[in-house]
Amino acid sequence: MAPQRDAGAGPEAELPESVGHYRLETCLGSGGMGVVHLARSTSGMKLAVKVVHAQYANDPDFRGRFRQEVAAARRVSGAFTASVVDADPEAVRPWMATVFIPGPTLSEEVKRNGPMTTAQLRRLMAGLAEALRDIHRAGVVHRDLKPSNVLLAEDGPKVIDFGISRPSDSELRTETGKLIGTPPFMAPEQFRRPRDVGPAADVFALGSVMVHAATGRGPFDSDSPYVVAYQVVHDEPDLSGVPEEIAPLVLRCLAKEPEERPTPDELMRELRSVAASYDTQLFIPAQRADDVPARQPCAGESASPESVPPESVPQEPAAEGPAPEATAGRERGRRLGRRAALGAGALGLAVAGALLSLPPGGGDGGAPPDAAPRTTSAAFNGWEATPASGKGTPRCSQGAGRLLCGVPGLVFALDPSDGRVQWRHPVGEGPRSGPPVLTGGLVQPALGQGPHLEALDPGSGEVRWERDVPAYNGVAAAGGMLLLTGTDGVVTGVDSASGDPRWSHRIPGHQTPYFTTFAGDPLAYAASTSADGSGTRVTAVDPETGDVRWDARLEGTLEPFGTADGSMFLLAVDATRGDATAVVRHTPDSEETRRVPLTVPLQQARGTVRGNVAFLMAAGGSLTAVDLGTRERLWNLEIGVTRGSTPVAGDRYVYVTTPDGRLLAVDARRGKLAGQTSPRLGARSDRVPAVLTEPLLAGDRVYATAPDGSVFAVNGRDPAAW
C-alpha cells in the first residue's frame, strides 16, 4: 500500500505508513506540534501514535522538549493517564505510542452536548483531583491542563499531553520572556514568574476546566490572549452558571496566590462532604467508533496550535468553547450513549492512550449460583461458578484436590473439574492474611483473624481441632507448621495437623519477623531492613524446628518475591519513593549476589520467578521480564490496566488478573498479549477491589476469581479461545 498523501503541500505532504513496529491506520487529530494516528501493534492492540511535524524534527530545542514529554509521560503512566507503550525521540520523525482510549475529550463533549450536569461535574472534579494527585506524586507539574487534554474514558477522566510538563527535579526549559501554555487555563504565576510554576498551577487550571465543563466557556474570556492574560492576573473569575454546589471549591482553585489554593487531596475530601448524595459512579462517555475508516491523512496540518509556542505569546490559541448550536437548549441527558466523531482534535495526545479493547459480554453480575460449563478447548472445558455472590472477590488456593476459597464470613471448597461446591464453613469477618490454605493435611480457613485457630477436614469441611493462642501480629503456613509472630517478637511454631505448639523463640537479627513463603519451598523467610534503608537481613528458617538454615546481610532495601533452583529473588526498592530499581538474585550456597538494574523504576512492583527469569507487574499496567542469567530485560508490555495482580508464570504464558475481573495471558517468551477473558465486575461496578488475587495454575488449567464473586476456570494452553 502506497503511503497516503496529505491534502496540503510542504514537508507534511507525505505521511508515513508505519512508525517503529506500528502500522498507522487513520488520523485522529492534528495540532501545532504533530499528528496523532490510530495504530495497531503486531499483536493487534490499538494504540495512539503521536508523530511530530517534519519542520520540528531538525530543531534541537524541539527534540529536547519532546524527549522531556516522553520522560514525563512515562513517569506518570498510571490509572489517570495514558500509559506509554513505546517511543523513539531520536527517530527522523520523533514519535511516541500510548494505548488508545476510546472516549472523547472534554472539549469535544461540551461542544457536542453542552454543559455537564451537577452530578457529572462533581465526578469530573473528583477524577481530575485524583489524577493531579498522582501526577504530582510522580514529581511532575503538567502546566497545560485544559479541556482538550482531558479524555473521558469509561473508568474516569484521563489527563494527557505532557508536552510542556516539567519534572520538579529537572531544569525548566522555558526561557525568560517566553511563555508556554494556553492562556485561558494558565495560572497567574505562569504569566508573572514562569520559573516558579509548581503543582498549584495545575489546581488553578482544574478550576478553569471545571468552569468550562459547567458553562461552555472559561472563567476569563476574550478573543485576545493578551486580554485573557490580564484578566487571569488581575480580575475576578466569572462563575455565573457554575452550580452552587461546587462553585466555592472552584473559586478556591482560582485563587490568585498558589498557597491559597487547595491541594488535590483537600479537594477530594471537600468533594466527599459537598453532599450526602456524592457517589463514585463514573461518567460514561460516548465511545469512539470501532469501525474507524481505512487509514486517512490528516487534513489541515497547519491548524492553529493548541498551546502558545515557546517562540512567542502572540499566536492565538485554538478556541475551547462550544459551537453556538451546541449550547442552545441542548438536552443534558443526551450526552450519554452518543458516539464521538473521529474528526481532527487537539493534538497533545488528545485521543491517546487507554484500555485494551474488551471482548463482548461479561461484567453484568449475572453468573449462575453454581457452575455453568464454558468451553475453551477439547482438552478442558472451562467453568464459572458464583458460590458466594455479593461477598466480594474470593481468595483461593489449591490443596487436597480442591479449590479452597474464602470471602468475608465464609470459606468453601470447589471441585476443580466443574466448580461444584463441595462444602461450606462459616468464619469470622475479620481481617485475614490470605486465602484458606492446606497445611499438615488440614485446611486453615482464616489465618490472621485473631487468637482463635481452627483446622478443617479438607473432604467435609468439619472442624478437626480448635485452639486459642496468645495474640499475634503475623502468621504464615509452611512445611506443615503455622508460624505465629507474637506481639513481643517471639515466634511460635504450631503443628498444623494437631494444633500443638512445637517450639517458641526469637529469630536472631529480627525484632518482629514477618515470614514469607513460596510454593514448593519448604522454608520460611524473614527479611528486615535497617532503619536507614542501607541494608536488608534475610534469614531462612526451618519451620519444623525454628532453626536458621542460612542468614545473609545484603545491600539496600530488598523485598523477597520468589525462590528457584536454590536461589532467592528480591526486588531492590528505593527507600524514599518505594519504586523497584533492580532485581537481585542471591544464592546462599555460593554466597553470590547478582543485581540487574531496571531500565525504568517500577511503582508498587510485585513479582514471580520461573527458572532464571523474573516477571514483574507494576502499578500503571507495566509487565516486565528480566533474565538474571544474561542480566537483560527481555521485554516490557503495557497491558492497559491501572494495576494487575502478582503475576503467575507457567511453561508458556504469564497470567495476571485485573481490577475488572479479567484474566490476561501474556506470551512469556515474546511479551505479547495472547488472550483475555471477559470482565466480571458484577452489580457493584463502582467498587474497586482492594486486593487483586493472583491466578492459580494446575497443569493446563488456570483458575481465577473476580469482583462479581465468581470463581472460574479456563484452558491455560489456549488463551486465544477465552
Side-chain angles (χ1 to χ4, degrees):
M1 174 180 175
Q4 299 286 341
R5 293 183 177 273
D6 184 71
E12 297 289 359
E14 186 165 310
L15 300 175
E17 183 177 354
S18 63
V19 169
H21 301 291
Y22 311 109
R23 175 170 53 86
L24 305 184
E25 293 189 347
T26 191
C27 174
L28 294 174
S30 177
M33 293 172 62
V35 185
V36 179
H37 303 267
L38 177 68
R40 297 271 182 174
S41 70
T42 306
S43 65
M45 180 191 297
K46 286 185 180 180
L47 303 171
V49 178
K50 177 178 182 178
V51 183
V52 305
H53 288 317
Q55 64 263 36
Y56 294 129
N58 296 322
D59 184 340
D61 289 338
F62 177 85
R63 280 187 178 269
R65 282 185 62 196
F66 191 75
R67 280 192 293 270
Q68 177 173 297
E69 175 179 0
V70 172
R74 287 189 186 279
R75 193 166 180 172
V76 303
S77 284
F80 305 102
T81 58
S83 296
V84 177
V85 175
D86 200 357
D88 188 357
E90 310 306 325
V92 176
R93 294 277 296 277
W95 57 270
M96 175 170 63
T98 70
V99 289
F100 173 72
I101 296 179
T105 67
L106 176 60
S107 178
E108 292 171 332
E109 173 65 21
V110 173
K111 284 179 180 178
R112 292 186 177 92
N113 302 313
M116 288 183 165
T117 66
T118 301
Q120 290 173 341
L121 290 168
R122 199 167 53 233
R123 293 190 287 270
L124 173 67
M125 195 173 193
L128 291 178
E130 286 182 314
L132 291 183
R133 177 198 60 189
D134 277 21
I135 291 168
H136 296 163
R137 281 179 178 175
V140 172
V141 182
H142 191 283
R143 298 202 300 157
D144 197 23
L145 181 66
K146 57 187 177 182
S148 60
N149 285 343
V150 175
L151 279 172
L152 300 177
E154 284 191 349
D155 57 344
K158 310 288 183 185
V159 174
I160 58 173
D161 191 359
F162 292 84
I164 64 172
S165 62
R166 175 169 61 89
S168 57
D169 55 0
S170 71
E171 293 184 2
L172 181 64
R173 290 189 171 273
T174 307
E175 299 178 18
T176 303
K178 296 181 180 180
L179 302 179
I180 301 179
T182 306
F185 304 95
M186 292 169 65
E189 60 267 27
Q190 288 181 271
F191 296 102
R192 296 182 301 199
R193 44 184 189 276
R195 291 183 176 273
D196 296 331
V197 170
D202 289 343
V203 175
F204 187 95
L206 185 152
S208 297
V209 167
M210 293 307 302
V211 175
H212 176 86
T215 67
R217 54 165 176 75
F220 309 98
D221 251 5
S222 173
D223 293 334
S224 167
Y226 297 105
V227 174
V228 170
Y230 180 88
Q231 292 173 336
V232 168
V233 174
H234 299 286
D235 292 352
E236 291 302 312
D238 179 5
L239 300 189
S240 57
V242 177
E244 294 181 1
E245 188 173 331
I246 66 168
L249 275 180
V250 173
L251 187 61
R252 289 178 58 196
C253 293
L254 296 173
K256 301 298 183 188
E257 298 303 325
E259 60 272 14
E260 295 177 1
R261 299 169 203 151
T263 66
D265 280 319
E266 290 171 342
L267 276 176
M268 287 187 286
R269 285 196 298 269
E270 291 287 341
L271 283 166
R272 291 189 185 99
S273 62
V274 161
S277 60
Y278 175 73
D279 57 52
T280 56
Q281 288 288 339
L282 298 176
F283 166 72
I284 307 298
Q287 297 300 292
R288 292 184 181 273
D290 291 331
D291 52 341
V292 292
R295 193 172 104 74
Q296 297 293 328
C298 280
E301 293 203 16
S302 60
S304 300
E306 55 181 354
S307 295
V308 178
E311 289 74 17
S312 60
V313 175
Q315 297 192 25
E316 299 267 345
E320 293 276 4
E325 64 272 16
T327 60
R330 190 72 60 90
E331 287 186 80
R332 291 176 177 175
R334 292 163 55 192
R335 107 180 24 97
L336 295 178
R338 291 196 169 203
R339 304 184 68 84
L342 285 171
L347 171 64
L349 293 186
V351 288
L355 304 174
L356 292 170
S357 57
L358 301 179
D364 58 0
D370 278 320
R374 176 180 290 182
T375 301
T376 53
S377 79
F380 171 64
N381 290 328
W383 51 261
E384 179 177 350
T386 310
S389 181
K391 292 283 190 177
T393 305
R395 303 180 71 178
C396 300
S397 68
Q398 300 178 76
R402 294 166 175 80
L403 291 180
L404 306 171
C405 303
V407 293
L410 182 69
V411 297
F412 50 91
L414 302 180
D415 186 323
S417 63
D418 57 17
R420 301 289 175 180
V421 177
Q422 296 186 327
W423 52 259
R424 303 173 190 263
H425 179 77
V427 294
E429 296 199 6
R432 64 182 66 207
S433 60
V437 295
L438 186 78
T439 173
L442 300 177
V443 177
Q444 288 293 327
L447 291 179
Q449 285 196 319
H452 181 76
L453 297 177
E454 62 179 355
L456 309 180
D457 185 294
S460 64
E462 296 179 354
V463 176
R464 292 281 294 272
W465 61 256
E466 294 182 82
R467 295 286 188 278
D468 288 325
V469 297
Y472 55 87
N473 286 338
V475 60
M481 300 288 289
L482 299 176
L483 305 184
L484 309 179
T485 301
T487 55
D488 57 358
V490 174
V491 179
T492 300
V494 176
D495 189 309
S496 301
S498 65
D500 298 331
R502 296 299 184 194
W503 55 268
S504 183
H505 56 69
R506 292 185 177 274
I507 305 300
H510 301 271
Q511 184 174 0
T512 307
Y514 295 98
F515 291 97
T516 302
T517 60
F518 303 104
D521 190 329
L523 301 179
Y525 300 90
S528 299
T529 303
S530 61
D532 61 359
S534 61
T536 299
R537 183 170 184 171
V538 182
T539 303
V541 174
D542 184 337
E544 298 288 340
T545 63
D547 295 339
V548 173
R549 289 288 188 88
W550 59 262
D551 185 72
R553 292 172 174 82
L554 306 176
E555 180 182 347
T557 300
L558 303 178
E559 299 175 356
F561 68 87
T563 57
D565 301 327
S567 295
M568 167 165 279
F569 291 74
L570 311 97
L571 286 176
V573 178
D574 184 288
T576 302
R577 297 178 58 87
D579 297 347
T581 59
V583 183
V584 178
R585 185 187 68 190
H586 176 72
T587 306
D589 290 346
S590 63
E591 297 186 351
E592 177 192 9
T593 301
R594 172 169 291 196
R595 183 180 297 256
V596 179
L598 296 173
T599 307
V600 177
L602 302 179
Q603 296 180 344
Q604 303 172 25
R606 294 169 301 282
T608 191
V609 61
R610 188 167 183 88
N612 213 30
V613 178
F615 299 95
L616 309 176
M617 184 75 239
S622 175
L623 182 63
T624 302
V626 179
D627 191 320
L628 272 292
T630 62
R631 299 176 185 259
E632 295 179 340
R633 187 183 80 168
L634 299 179
W635 48 261
N636 175 260
L637 176 67
E638 298 291 341
I639 63 175
V641 298
T642 57
R643 57 194 176 105
S645 70
T646 300
V648 174
D651 292 334
R652 184 174 177 184
Y653 300 106
V654 181
Y655 305 97
V656 177
T657 57
T658 68
D660 60 6
R662 282 179 293 152
L663 172 67
L664 308 183
V666 175
D667 190 301
R669 292 166 294 182
R670 301 185 302 123
K672 303 297 183 182
L673 184 68
Q676 61 180 317
T677 63
S678 300
R680 291 174 167 87
L681 271 170
R684 296 307 306 270
S685 59
D686 58 332
R687 293 188 175 182
V688 178
V691 177
L692 295 182
T693 59
E694 61 258 36
L696 302 173
L697 300 185
D700 65 348
R701 304 176 185 183
V702 186
Y703 304 98
T705 62
D708 65 355
S710 63
V711 182
F712 61 96
V714 294
N715 189 332
R717 298 186 183 277
D718 191 15
W722 294 354

